[in-house]
Amino acid sequence: KQEVTQIPAALSVPEGENLVLNCSFTDSAIYNLQWFRQDPGKGLTSLLLIQSSQREQTSGRLNASLDKSSGRSTLYIAASQPGDSATYLCALRGAGGTSYGKLTFGQGTILTVHP
Amino acid sequence: DAGVIQSPRHEVTEMGQEVTLRCKPISGHDYLFWYRQTMMRGLELLIYFNNNVPIDDSGMPEDRFSAKMPNASFSTLKIQPSEPRDSAVYFCASSPTTSGNTIYFGEGSWLTVV
């Protein structure tokens, strides 16, 4: 059974800092890994998706990496802004059989960027 | 596209009542997912469909929960009878087979059972 852990559970940083959010998983048989953002009272917004054959993806100030062999992914946020404050979740999609459609989520990292 | 549309957005109901949550996936998406989110357990997959067929319902907590997808543009999640411990946010999501399989979430249905 896939287990996903996110560290830290919460993070508070001053505006302008570069920061790293961590995601670790137990089963490397994945189809892809996705990072989401969730604002209070809202649904989840997809930030980046990394296929299992890829090592990283970039979008603006965000960079996500994937190392299947070690069961780790990181989300790097450059020059953080107060608008980045949200909960960040990583999710892994299973690779085969009935696991294919399943997206297993971590518990999330609550990020607060203060001015 | 309008995105994944869920209704109702908020519902407060009394214990024992039937609750029906509705979802319209993004047109052309052939995967549909129902998730439940609580503070204690985070996001849990309840059931997912592929081409309107239920593939895995192992996350459905018990017989009080049922889900249907009568066509490609509509799905329901029903709880009967509802209990206070069912209080949570229920998310519907959809995904295409192609385009990297990015999954798109609705805004959620916030259920409170009193």
Side-chain angles (χ1 to χ4, degrees):
Chain A
K1 179 187 172 186
Q2 179 72 273
E3 293 183 5
V4 183
T5 304
Q6 290 189 244
I7 294 172
L11 183 63
S12 181
V13 300
E15 182 176 6
E17 268 203 16
N18 302 325
L19 55 99
V20 175
L21 308 181
N22 297 289
C23 173
S24 61
F25 49 94
T26 56
D27 186 353
S28 62
I30 64 171
Y31 188 79
N32 60 37
L33 181 147
Q34 207 163 342
W35 281 92
F36 292 88
R37 169 188 173 134
Q38 185 175 28
D39 293 287
K42 298 290 187 180
L44 282 73
T45 301
S46 179
L47 298 173
L48 289 165
L49 181 145
I50 309 177
Q51 301 293 352
S52 63
S53 58
Q54 297 175 325
R55 299 283 293 187
E56 66 178 328
Q57 283 287 332
T58 298
S59 176
R61 295 182 295 108
L62 305 179
N63 175 275
S65 67
L66 173 63
D67 184 344
K68 282 202 310 178
S69 62
S70 65
R72 295 178 187 274
S73 175
T74 61
L75 178 67
Y76 175 82
I77 303 177
S80 58
Q81 303 170 357
D84 294 331
S85 299
T87 298
Y88 290 81
L89 299 113
C90 71
L92 289 95
R93 196 156 189 176
T98 57
S99 297
Y100 173 69
K102 282 188 175 180
L103 209 58
T104 304
F105 281 85
Q107 289 284 57
T109 294
I110 301 170
L111 173 65
T112 303
V113 181
H114 45 89
Chain B
D1 201 313
V4 177
I5 299 172
Q6 292 187 245
S7 65
R9 287 296 317 279
H10 299 271
E11 177 148 348
V12 180
T13 190
E14 292 186 347
M15 182 174 64
Q17 296 297 306
E18 178 179 291
V19 174
T20 299
L21 308 178
R22 297 172 178 82
C23 176
K24 177 178 167 49
I26 294 174
S27 177
H29 284 193
D30 48 2
Y31 282 88
L32 183 138
F33 307 83
W34 282 101
Y35 283 86
R36 178 172 67 177
Q37 186 176 39
T38 61
M39 287 293 292
M40 290 296 293
R41 293 190 297 271
L43 269 160
E44 304 172 283
L45 177 65
L46 300 177
I47 185 172
Y48 79 93
F49 296 82
N50 179 217
N51 292 321
N52 313 338
V53 176
I55 302 300
D56 188 340
D57 65 355
S58 60
M60 296 286 262
E62 47 199 275
D63 292 345
R64 296 184 299 106
F65 285 70
S66 63
K68 293 182 180 179
M69 191 165 186
N71 57 62
S73 59
F74 184 67
S75 177
T76 59
L77 178 67
K78 189 173 292 188
I79 308 172
Q80 166 63 17
S82 58
E83 296 182 3
R85 61 194 168 115
D86 301 330
S87 298
V89 184
Y90 292 82
F91 287 104
C92 177
S94 70
S95 167
T97 301
T98 56
S99 301
N101 304 108
T102 300
I103 190 166
Y104 298 86
F105 279 76
E107 294 281 281
S109 292
W110 298 68
L111 174 65
T112 303
V113 183
V114 298

